[in-house]
Amino acid sequence: MTQEAQDHGASLCGPDKSLTAFNGIPQAPGGVDHQLLAIGRPLLEAIIRARVTALPNVSVLRARATGLRYTDGAVDGVHFVKSAPGEQAESPTSVLAADFVVDAMGRSSRLPNWLKQDGYDQPRLERLEAPINYATALFERPEKFADLETAAVLQLFTPPHTPGEVAGAAANAIEGQQWLVMLVGYGDARPGRTMDEFREVCAKLPSVFPEATSGAVTRQVVTYRQAESRRRHFAEATRLPARLVGVGDAVASFNPSYGQGMSSAALHASCLSSYLDDDPDFEAAATDFFRLQQVVVDAAWGVSAGGDAARLDEAKGADVPEDIARQRWAMEQITRATLVDGDVTRAFNNVSYMLRHPATLADPAVLAKAVAANGGGSTA
């Protein structure tokens, strides 16, 4: 699949073509031992969709799901409606029979409401305020990938180093000889809502950003706002129907600036594969799956929500419990050390990309190495 993406113009970026920096300071050398695929989301989804729909046992029904059908406490069908092309009125409700149903309807999933109205437990919804604003645009890229010094750049900023309203910025050399450039702001900060504003902000960033945005515009600025992170606690529910699971953003959606959404979804799929391969009891709720999935959700939530909670507490001047303050001190030590110690950087990046569990950063040896790299640090 990676080769197919490259054949369509996507860029495979190794450590020599990738750069991550905090407050303008690059991470320490030796901290990256993986490759990044610089690709636009539409191309990525098109490749995945083509491969899935090409399977002999896969068919596609274009419709809107409206509810579930049950037999003896197990889901055995999905109610849906669809309209013929050009028709305004919807057709009557129909039912698609099913042996097993997966909810992948994203943040707007109606499944919890369906479960409640059908007499089952409605999974508890946890919310964390995380107002984030994205601005993204595409530009022509005259340089060929081979001629680029860097092809995948991520810059993160914290006060007082934030250039204007920007808390983060990324530039990726994607297919179609294009630069995909993204700006991120928190709260009321909405960087780059127009093309003039977008380029003005990029002019204040490291040189790759004004260079990337100097070419002809191939797609105007598109903005996106997300007010909060959410997770639904399916593992806590005691009464759920059998033959039903949820995956991806339908279960947990995080602040996208941490880059863990698709990684989480892929790991949810891995959990589902393990569950189905383990000869489960299809006449009982998929409790074992939800417990396995919870490990993934907890990991991603701990990384993204933990950072957002710290930012929110700081903004509100809230008192922070001592144990939380110690955790944040430890993470600050590790984050600072990524700029000077390759081993700490590698451990941090492996957690960021969900290749390792966040618990690995709690290893006393990793923390000791981070504190030493920071010149001894300060005690909490």
Side-chain angles (χ1 to χ4, degrees), residues 157-174:
F157 304 96
T158 56
H161 308 284
T162 305
E165 297 183 317
V166 180
N172 290 279
I174 66 168

Side-chain angles (χ1 to χ4, degrees), residues 134-379:
Y134 269 45
T136 309
L138 296 176
F139 303 87
E140 284 186 0
R141 173 169 51 86
E143 305 92 342
K144 294 182 179 179
F145 174 73
D147 298 329
L148 294 173
E149 182 176 346
T150 52
V153 182
L154 175 63
Q155 295 274 352
L156 302 173
F157 304 96
T158 56
H161 308 284
T162 305
E165 297 183 317
V166 180
N172 290 279
I174 66 168
E175 67 278 0
Q177 287 285 112
Q178 298 177 103
W179 279 109
L180 170 65
V181 182
M182 177 193 71
L183 304 176
V184 182
Y186 284 97
D188 295 329
R190 300 193 178 189
R193 282 174 287 185
T194 68
M195 183 54 65
D196 287 342
E197 290 177 353
F198 196 94
R199 282 177 161 151
E200 182 179 349
V201 171
C202 287
K204 302 174 185 177
L205 299 176
S207 60
V208 66
F209 291 94
E211 291 172 6
T213 56
S214 64
V217 177
T218 58
R219 193 195 71 186
Q220 289 291 332
V221 176
V222 175
T223 59
Y224 170 74
R225 178 173 174 80
Q226 182 171 297
E228 61 186 15
S229 295
R230 302 175 184 174
R231 65 180 297 186
R232 295 179 170 93
H233 290 265
F234 280 87
E236 290 181 355
T238 58
R239 188 166 186 270
L240 292 173
R243 305 189 180 213
L244 174 72
V245 299
V247 296
D249 283 2
V251 175
S253 59
F254 317 99
N255 180 335
S257 67
Y258 290 88
Q260 297 192 316
M262 285 193 283
S263 297
S264 293
L267 289 171
H268 291 188
S270 181
C271 291
L272 182 56
S273 177
S274 296
Y275 170 74
L276 295 175
D277 283 343
D278 200 28
D279 192 25
D281 179 5
F282 288 115
E283 304 311 313
T287 304
D288 290 343
F289 165 77
F290 288 122
R291 288 173 178 167
L292 186 62
Q293 182 187 56
Q294 187 177 22
V295 176
V296 176
V297 175
D298 285 346
W301 188 266
V303 171
S304 63
D308 288 335
R311 185 181 292 103
L312 191 61
D313 288 342
E314 182 178 341
K316 294 181 176 180
D319 293 332
V320 179
E322 184 177 351
D323 60 332
I324 300 298
R326 288 181 179 274
Q327 292 175 16
R328 293 179 182 173
W329 172 84
M331 184 54 65
E332 180 184 352
Q333 292 294 317
I334 290 172
T335 303
R336 286 174 53 198
T338 63
L339 307 179
V340 292
D341 189 290
D343 291 337
V344 177
T345 303
R346 191 176 307 109
F348 177 82
N349 286 339
N350 282 338
V351 169
S352 296
Y353 291 112
M354 299 194 77
L355 300 173
R356 296 289 184 274
H357 193 275
T360 58
L361 295 181
D363 185 333
V366 174
L367 183 56
K369 194 172 184 63
V371 172
N374 294 328
S378 59
T379 57

